[in-house]
């Protein structure tokens, strides 16, 4: 039973043990490669490519209890 080496641009590398498994994975973006040779360059699909740096729009939560206000 041959080992089939597969690589994905997001999920990394894996080893498939059956041709049917490798064929199914190839339909989902995996690419076969030989670990003894140079690794293939796989491109990310357009919907996964970042167009610019991510921006964190969340504010830090307030810690502790709110202060009591004194009514005069």
């Amino acid at each position: 039973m041959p080992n089939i080496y597969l690589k994905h641009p997001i999920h990394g590398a894996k080893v498939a043990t059956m041709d049917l498994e490798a064929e199914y994975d190839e339909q989902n973006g995996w690419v076969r490669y030989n670990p003894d040779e140079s690794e293939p360059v796989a491109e990310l699909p357009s919907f996964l490519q970042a167009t610019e740096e991510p921006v964190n729009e969340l504010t830090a939560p307030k810690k502790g209890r709110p202060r009591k206000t004194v009514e005069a």
Side-chain angles (χ1 to χ4, degrees):
M1 184 179 328
N3 288 333
I4 304 164
Y5 297 94
L6 301 161
K7 186 159 187 142
H8 193 274
I10 296 173
H11 304 298
K14 71 175 272 186
V15 177
T17 56
M18 297 182 293
D19 285 326
L20 185 61
E21 178 186 1
E23 291 170 5
Y24 178 76
D25 291 336
E26 286 175 331
Q27 293 174 359
N28 292 309
W30 293 83
V31 178
R32 292 184 191 216
Y33 76 98
N34 186 345
D36 297 331
E37 297 174 2
S38 63
E39 296 184 16
V41 177
E43 292 186 22
L44 286 173
S46 61
F47 65 91
L48 293 176
Q49 293 178 352
T51 55
E52 56 187 50
E53 290 294 320
V55 178
N56 185 0
E57 297 176 354
L58 300 174
T59 58
K62 295 181 179 179
K63 294 183 180 181
R65 295 175 50 185
R67 291 185 172 201
K68 290 185 180 179
T69 55
V70 179
E71 297 178 20

